[in-house]
């Protein structure tokens, strides 16, 4: 029972956005960017046991010009921050960033002058993956969620309107410094 039984006339209708989203999510190429212990788990994700090729991520690209996903795995030092930004700027668009591990997401246990307290201070992050270090299964789950986000992404003018709407929502959000804990 294949698709030909479901479509007896042999015609399949879709939108350009739907087709482009499907193609983008199915050909995701990550840049090689491991900074600390989380990189070991990222390498395990590319190994045969977890097999990133199942998700259209055949090989980790050595050049940022060939990649569209930057997985920042591990803590980012202030010395390394300009390099992270340079690699991000060299990536072709559309480009996505996944902050892997608590150190990349928020600085982790390293609350000092040498470590950037979250890679989102350097590059815009599309997906945060918590854990110290996160397991390869968690990385697979985050990438599948990113696939879903990419597949339903708008194109052209619709995308610009979506970005403006997201920025309005972000500006109207309560700052974390003004948030209060649960009162019981």
């Amino acid at each position: 029972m294949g698709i030909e039984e479901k479509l007896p006339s042999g015609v399949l209708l879709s939108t350009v956005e739907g087709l482009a989203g499907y193609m983008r999510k199915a050909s995701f190429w990550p840049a090689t960017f491991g900074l600390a212990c989380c990189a070991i788990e990222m390498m395990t994700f590319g190994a045969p046991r977890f097999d990133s090729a199942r998700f259209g991520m055949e090989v980790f690209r050595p050049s940022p010009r060939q990649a569209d996903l930057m997985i920042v795995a591990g803590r980012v030092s202030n010395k390394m921050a300009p390099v992270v930004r340079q690699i991000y700027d060299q990536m072709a668009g559309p480009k996505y960033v996944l902050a892997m591990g608590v150190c990349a997401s928020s600085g982790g246990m390293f609350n000092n002058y040498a470590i950037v307290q979250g890679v989102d201070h350097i590059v815009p992050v599309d997906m945060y993956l918590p854990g110290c270090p996160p397991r390869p299964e968690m990385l697979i789950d985050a990438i599948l969620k990113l696939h879903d986000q990419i597949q339903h992404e708008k194109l052209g003018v619709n995308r610009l309107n979506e970005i403006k709407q997201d920025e309005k929502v972000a500006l109207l959000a309560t700052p974390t410094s003004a948030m209060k804990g649960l009162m019981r």
Side-chain angles (χ1 to χ4, degrees), residues 65-168:
R65 288 174 181 82
Q66 299 171 344
D68 52 6
L69 171 66
M70 176 190 280
I71 302 174
V72 181
R75 61 189 178 273
V76 180
S77 66
N78 284 323
K79 203 173 195 179
M80 195 62 160
V83 177
V84 173
R85 184 62 202 202
Q86 181 181 9
I87 289 176
Y88 177 80
D89 290 338
Q90 289 176 351
M91 290 170 61
K95 50 191 168 187
Y96 307 94
V97 177
L98 193 149
M100 182 177 177
V102 70
C103 293
S105 299
S106 65
M109 64 195 92
F110 304 102
N111 189 8
N112 62 31
Y113 66 91
I115 303 298
V116 176
Q117 299 301 303
V119 75
D120 54 354
H121 291 286
I122 306 164
V123 294
V125 176
D126 296 291
M127 183 71 64
Y128 294 92
L129 177 59
C132 184
R135 298 272 311 138
E137 294 92 347
M138 295 170 69
L139 181 56
I140 290 171
D141 182 58
I143 286 173
L144 290 177
K145 287 179 181 171
L146 197 56
H147 277 186
D148 189 52
Q149 179 182 330
I150 290 165
Q151 186 169 4
H152 296 99
E153 200 172 69
K154 305 277 186 210
L155 294 177
V157 177
N158 296 334
R159 177 70 181 141
L160 296 175
N161 292 336
E162 188 178 52
I163 290 170
K164 285 179 186 176
Q165 183 63 29
D166 290 346
E167 287 175 353
K168 282 182 187 176

Side-chain angles (χ1 to χ4, degrees), residues 10-75:
V11 176
L12 177 67
L13 298 177
S14 182
T15 62
V16 173
E17 285 179 347
L19 189 61
Y22 182 79
M23 296 303 166
R24 275 191 192 158
K25 84 167 189 131
S27 62
F28 226 25
W29 288 359
T32 305
F33 208 81
L35 296 170
C37 43
C38 290
I40 302 299
E41 300 296 325
M42 182 178 67
M43 288 180 234
T44 306
F45 164 67
R49 181 171 180 194
F50 296 101
D51 192 20
S52 60
R54 293 180 294 164
F55 307 106
M57 302 170 68
E58 293 299 320
V59 63
F60 282 79
R61 307 313 301 178
S63 168
R65 288 174 181 82
Q66 299 171 344
D68 52 6
L69 171 66
M70 176 190 280
I71 302 174
V72 181
R75 61 189 178 273

